[in-house]
Amino acid sequence: QVQLVESGGGLVQAGGSLRLSCAASGSIFSRSAQGWFRQAPGKQRELVAAITSGGVINYADSVKGRFTISRDNAKNTVYLQMNSLKPEDTAVYYCRIVIGMIYYWGQGTQVTVSS
C-alpha cells in the first residue's frame, strides 16, 4: 500500500553535510507521523528525529543543533538535514512513517563519516 524510498546517503568527511530524503507513495502522508532512525553495526536502532502530524519535533540529544527534520506535504517527502557530521554518526539511516498502529519503513541508506 505505502512505499518509502530513501536517498541522499553517502561518504563525507567529518564536518560535512548531507541531506536525506524519504519519499512516500499513497495518500496517508499528511496525516502520519514521520521519523528518522539509525543503526550502527553492533548497536540497537535508535531514534534520531521525529515529527508528528501536528508538527511537534523531537531530536536525540546526540544530534541536537546539528540535524534538522522537515517535510514537504505537497511532495509526500520527509527530510533529514545533517550538518557538522561526526564519525559517530556513521550508520544506516531509516525513515519511518506511522499512521494509527501501522508502521512503514524505508529501505535504509548508508551514511559514512570519515575522520
PDB file of all heavy atoms in Angstrom, residues 5-7 46 48-49 51 87 91 98 100 102 108:
ATOM      1  N   VAL A   5      10.837   5.475  -0.187  1.00  0.00           N
ATOM      2  CA  VAL A   5      12.077   5.394  -0.933  1.00  0.00           C
ATOM      3  C   VAL A   5      13.039   6.438  -0.396  1.00  0.00           C
ATOM      4  O   VAL A   5      12.771   7.639  -0.489  1.00  0.00           O
ATOM      5  CB  VAL A   5      11.844   5.596  -2.439  1.00  0.00           C
ATOM      6  CG1 VAL A   5      13.171   5.514  -3.185  1.00  0.00           C
ATOM      7  CG2 VAL A   5      10.876   4.551  -2.968  1.00  0.00           C
ATOM      8  N   GLU A   6      14.164   5.977   0.151  1.00  0.00           N
ATOM      9  CA  GLU A   6      15.160   6.854   0.725  1.00  0.00           C
ATOM     10  C   GLU A   6      16.271   7.157  -0.273  1.00  0.00           C
ATOM     11  O   GLU A   6      16.601   6.334  -1.129  1.00  0.00           O
ATOM     12  CB  GLU A   6      15.788   6.219   1.971  1.00  0.00           C
ATOM     13  CG  GLU A   6      14.820   5.967   3.102  1.00  0.00           C
ATOM     14  CD  GLU A   6      15.519   5.386   4.316  1.00  0.00           C
ATOM     15  OE1 GLU A   6      16.681   5.784   4.588  1.00  0.00           O
ATOM     16  OE2 GLU A   6      14.918   4.534   4.991  1.00  0.00           O
ATOM     17  N   SER A   7      16.873   8.327  -0.114  1.00  0.00           N
ATOM     18  CA  SER A   7      18.013   8.709  -0.917  1.00  0.00           C
ATOM     19  C   SER A   7      18.831   9.736  -0.155  1.00  0.00           C
ATOM     20  O   SER A   7      18.365  10.317   0.827  1.00  0.00           O
ATOM     21  CB  SER A   7      17.585   9.267  -2.276  1.00  0.00           C
ATOM     22  OG  SER A   7      16.805  10.439  -2.117  1.00  0.00           O
ATOM     23  N   GLU A  46      18.218   3.377  16.905  1.00  0.00           N
ATOM     24  CA  GLU A  46      17.836   4.473  17.771  1.00  0.00           C
ATOM     25  C   GLU A  46      17.110   5.558  17.001  1.00  0.00           C
ATOM     26  O   GLU A  46      17.371   5.784  15.817  1.00  0.00           O
ATOM     27  CB  GLU A  46      19.063   5.071  18.471  1.00  0.00           C
ATOM     28  CG  GLU A  46      20.065   5.712  17.524  1.00  0.00           C
ATOM     29  CD  GLU A  46      21.198   6.420  18.242  1.00  0.00           C
ATOM     30  OE1 GLU A  46      21.077   6.660  19.462  1.00  0.00           O
ATOM     31  OE2 GLU A  46      22.209   6.737  17.584  1.00  0.00           O
ATOM     32  N   VAL A  48      16.484   9.166  15.833  1.00  0.00           N
ATOM     33  CA  VAL A  48      17.293  10.349  15.593  1.00  0.00           C
ATOM     34  C   VAL A  48      16.444  11.611  15.661  1.00  0.00           C
ATOM     35  O   VAL A  48      16.805  12.590  16.326  1.00  0.00           O
ATOM     36  CB  VAL A  48      18.005  10.259  14.233  1.00  0.00           C
ATOM     37  CG1 VAL A  48      18.778  11.544  13.943  1.00  0.00           C
ATOM     38  CG2 VAL A  48      18.936   9.050  14.199  1.00  0.00           C
ATOM     39  N   ALA A  49      15.326  11.613  14.955  1.00  0.00           N
ATOM     40  CA  ALA A  49      14.451  12.773  14.902  1.00  0.00           C
ATOM     41  C   ALA A  49      13.064  12.322  14.513  1.00  0.00           C
ATOM     42  O   ALA A  49      12.907  11.349  13.768  1.00  0.00           O
ATOM     43  CB  ALA A  49      14.963  13.820  13.904  1.00  0.00           C
ATOM     44  N   ILE A  51       8.786  13.863  13.844  1.00  0.00           N
ATOM     45  CA  ILE A  51       7.835  14.961  13.740  1.00  0.00           C
ATOM     46  C   ILE A  51       6.439  14.365  13.672  1.00  0.00           C
ATOM     47  O   ILE A  51       6.181  13.439  12.911  1.00  0.00           O
ATOM     48  CB  ILE A  51       8.141  15.864  12.522  1.00  0.00           C
ATOM     49  CG1 ILE A  51       7.169  17.042  12.459  1.00  0.00           C
ATOM     50  CG2 ILE A  51       8.148  15.065  11.230  1.00  0.00           C
ATOM     51  CD1 ILE A  51       7.587  18.100  11.442  1.00  0.00           C
ATOM     52  N   PRO A  87      32.240  11.223  12.933  1.00  0.00           N
ATOM     53  CA  PRO A  87      32.380   9.787  12.653  1.00  0.00           C
ATOM     54  C   PRO A  87      31.362   8.934  13.393  1.00  0.00           C
ATOM     55  O   PRO A  87      30.925   7.907  12.855  1.00  0.00           O
ATOM     56  CB  PRO A  87      33.812   9.486  13.105  1.00  0.00           C
ATOM     57  CG  PRO A  87      34.534  10.769  12.894  1.00  0.00           C
ATOM     58  CD  PRO A  87      33.547  11.839  13.255  1.00  0.00           C
ATOM     59  N   ALA A  91      26.201   5.231  10.224  1.00  0.00           N
ATOM     60  CA  ALA A  91      25.150   4.253  10.471  1.00  0.00           C
ATOM     61  C   ALA A  91      24.313   4.109   9.211  1.00  0.00           C
ATOM     62  O   ALA A  91      24.458   4.874   8.259  1.00  0.00           O
ATOM     63  CB  ALA A  91      24.256   4.691  11.640  1.00  0.00           C
ATOM     64  N   VAL A  98       4.203   6.608  10.467  1.00  0.00           N
ATOM     65  CA  VAL A  98       3.255   5.898  11.312  1.00  0.00           C
ATOM     66  C   VAL A  98       1.887   6.528  11.159  1.00  0.00           C
ATOM     67  O   VAL A  98       1.744   7.752  11.235  1.00  0.00           O
ATOM     68  CB  VAL A  98       3.672   5.947  12.795  1.00  0.00           C
ATOM     69  CG1 VAL A  98       2.670   5.174  13.651  1.00  0.00           C
ATOM     70  CG2 VAL A  98       5.076   5.406  12.985  1.00  0.00           C
ATOM     71  N   GLY A 100      -1.861   5.594  12.850  1.00  0.00           N
ATOM     72  CA  GLY A 100      -2.522   4.685  13.764  1.00  0.00           C
ATOM     73  C   GLY A 100      -1.520   3.708  14.332  1.00  0.00           C
ATOM     74  O   GLY A 100      -0.494   4.093  14.896  1.00  0.00           O
ATOM     75  N   ILE A 102      -0.099   1.368  12.345  1.00  0.00           N
ATOM     76  CA  ILE A 102       0.594   0.826  11.190  1.00  0.00           C
ATOM     77  C   ILE A 102       1.912   1.565  10.989  1.00  0.00           C
ATOM     78  O   ILE A 102       1.937   2.797  10.937  1.00  0.00           O
ATOM     79  CB  ILE A 102      -0.266   0.913   9.923  1.00  0.00           C
ATOM     80  CG1 ILE A 102      -1.638   0.262  10.170  1.00  0.00           C
ATOM     81  CG2 ILE A 102       0.438   0.246   8.752  1.00  0.00           C
ATOM     82  CD1 ILE A 102      -1.564  -1.198  10.524  1.00  0.00           C
ATOM     83  N   GLY A 108      16.483   1.977   4.019  1.00  0.00           N
ATOM     84  CA  GLY A 108      17.736   2.326   4.662  1.00  0.00           C
ATOM     85  C   GLY A 108      18.738   2.894   3.679  1.00  0.00           C
ATOM     86  O   GLY A 108      18.794   2.492   2.519  1.00  0.00           O
TER      87      GLY A 108
END
